[in-house]
Amino acid sequence: MKIAFFDSGIGGLSVLHHAMKILPDEKFIFFADEDNVPYGTKTREQVLNYVDAAFKFLTTQNVGAIVVACNTATSVAVRAMREKYSLPIIGMEPAIKVALDLYPHKKVFVAATEITVRGEKIYNLIDRLDAKNFVELHAMQKLVDFAERQEFNSSAVENYLREEFAPYDFKNFSSIVLGCTHFNYFKDTMKKILPAHIKILDGNAGTLNQLVRLANLKIGKGKKNPSVEYFYSGRRVTSSEELARLENYLQRLDEMFFI
Ligand code: DGL
């Protein structure tokens, strides 16, 4: 089956990267909406329009499922897309439940985009888990720009992370949940700054479990070079320069995978 992974930019590659490791029989499409990234600073209406345009394109590509590998797009548009299309559509969910199941008595720091931390979807999730007093939501929008520029561990990134983390006493926290797929590129830099006991959790495994279940796929050991077609906002990526850029991201994700 051909499966599409969609994101505002290159964050969703972290979900595709994980999928390529565990789905040996599938082919992949990756759609980064590079014309409109970042989504997190836009209005909900704008994001809904971007996602709508991406789905219009992706549903012409003979795909059996679409993974919305973007927490922001999931928060704004996944429900509307499910009403419109009948193929399996899998969204992202910040791994708050995983964190609370592992460490029930400690707080969870959720880092996400501006839209996601304001959105109803995340408050519904926190309510469902009855976790209001255990979750701290924090927008770290600038990381999206750093990631798009392939700036992962510069002193500007470190300073930004230090400033954002400074108001919190991490003694009371067990973990940081990455509520934006662009944030996976910063795991080592976060680890360097945060106290040693803080775990870094992302929602990729949860999303892929859902994909496997809904699209009826077989998990195994992924192929070394699976077939992936890359698109930027609907345009096929063919230039060797851009393909090398994407390859760099995948290499970075290899380094981040076991953190
Ligand atoms: N990668 C995205 C997410 O998971 C969106 C980042 C952005 O475009 O602001 O939320």
Side-chain angles (χ1 to χ4, degrees), residues 7-12 36-42 69-74 92 112-114 116 141 144-145 148 179-183:
D7 183 35
S8 63
I10 45 66
N36 298 308
V37 67
Y39 281 3
T41 54
K42 307 282 168 35
C70 174
N71 293 77
T72 309
T74 301
M92 298 298 300
T113 64
E114 284 167 13
T116 302
Q141 186 65 46
V144 177
D145 302 328
E148 289 292 326
C180 170
T181 52
H182 276 78
F183 296 177

Side-chain angles (χ1 to χ4, degrees), residues 1-5 23-29 61-67 87-88 90 211-218 223 226-227 229:
M1 183 189 289
K2 193 147 84 166
I3 301 159
F5 286 74
L23 297 173
D25 300 329
E26 319 310 331
K27 296 190 170 102
F28 305 100
I29 285 195
Q61 297 301 302
N62 193 27
V63 296
I66 299 180
V67 177
L87 81 174
I90 298 92
L211 168 68
V212 165
R213 207 171 56 78
L214 292 178
N216 216 353
L217 306 178
K218 213 171 71 239
K223 286 199 200 82
S227 138
E229 296 163 44

